[in-house]
């Protein structure tokens, strides 16, 4: 048993209750979507990365998606199926404690109390190809447990 457990808050989206159940081992279940009425599992997805961060449902490039910060990876998934839309490995990232925040239709803010600090990513889409690039960063802005307001 680890010294600290990992826990996230659920996100209700339509008939789904989304939670992160990620673990450090490859192939761990990253996201679980339950039917909010009967508790049946609708879909799961694999991923790697322990997190304190909760899943967020945002609209980027006109597409409603579940975005999660899992360890060093930002993961985006289709809400209805859990199919991966895109992922991005953050260089120098630490533990994920804060939720990714959509600033507008093409910008995503990801903050960390250690590692790379706060980074704004530009998310673009051409046909079915997603592209994620850092737009700016603030390495000394390192919120840890409090959300960026």
């Amino acid at each position: 048993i680890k010294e600290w457990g990992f826990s996230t808050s659920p996100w209700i989206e339509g008939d789904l209750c989304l939670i992160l159940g990620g673990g450090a081992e490859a192939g761990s279940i990253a996201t679980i979507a339950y039917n909010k009425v009967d508790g049946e599992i609708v879909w799961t997805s694999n991923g790697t990365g322990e997190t304190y961060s909760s899943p967020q449902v945002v609209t980027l490039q006109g597409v409603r998606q579940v975005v999660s910060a899992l360890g060093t990876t930002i993961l985006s998934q289709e809400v209805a199926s859990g199919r991966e839309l895109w992922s991005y490995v953050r260089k120098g990232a630490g533990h994920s404690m804060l939720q990714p925040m959509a600033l507008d239709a093409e910008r995503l803010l990801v903050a960390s109390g250690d590692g790379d600090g706060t980074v704004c990513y530009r998310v673009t889409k051409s046909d079915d190809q997603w592209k994620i690039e850092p737009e700016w960063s603030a390495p000394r802005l390192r919120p840890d447990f409090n959300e960026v307001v």
Side-chain angles (χ1 to χ4, degrees):
I1 297 176
K2 296 184 178 196
E3 179 179 1
W4 302 101
F6 284 85
S7 177
T8 67
S9 297
W11 181 285
I12 303 297
E13 180 72 12
D15 290 335
L16 298 177
C17 176
L18 303 162
I19 66 162
L20 295 180
E25 298 78 28
S28 295
I29 293 176
T31 313
I32 306 168
Y34 292 97
N35 179 301
K36 73 176 185 183
V37 175
D38 61 19
E40 292 292 319
I41 294 176
V42 177
W43 56 262
T44 64
S45 68
N46 291 342
T48 302
E50 298 170 318
T51 186
Y52 292 102
S53 178
S54 299
Q56 300 295 295
V57 177
V58 301
T59 302
L60 294 168
Q61 296 299 329
V63 178
R64 197 87 171 137
Q65 53 198 277
V66 183
V67 177
S68 307
L70 300 167
T72 59
T73 302
I74 305 167
L75 174 65
S76 169
Q77 299 169 276
E78 191 175 75
V79 175
S81 69
R83 179 181 65 89
E84 183 177 316
L85 297 174
W86 57 266
S87 65
Y88 182 85
V89 177
R90 301 181 295 152
K91 294 174 178 52
H95 274 79
S96 301
M97 294 195 190
L98 306 180
Q99 286 61 248
M101 180 186 309
L103 300 178
D104 57 30
E106 64 180 28
R107 288 180 186 84
L108 187 70
L109 189 72
V110 180
S112 178
D114 55 7
D116 54 1
T118 300
V119 180
C120 179
Y121 296 93
R122 180 179 295 273
V123 180
T124 57
K125 181 177 183 273
S126 177
D127 297 320
D128 285 335
Q129 296 298 310
W130 292 86
K131 185 176 179 183
I132 295 75
E133 299 178 294
E135 182 173 79
W136 59 260
S137 65
R140 293 180 56 192
L141 179 57
R142 297 173 176 232
D144 208 359
F145 288 101
N146 301 51
E147 290 300 325
V148 178
V149 180

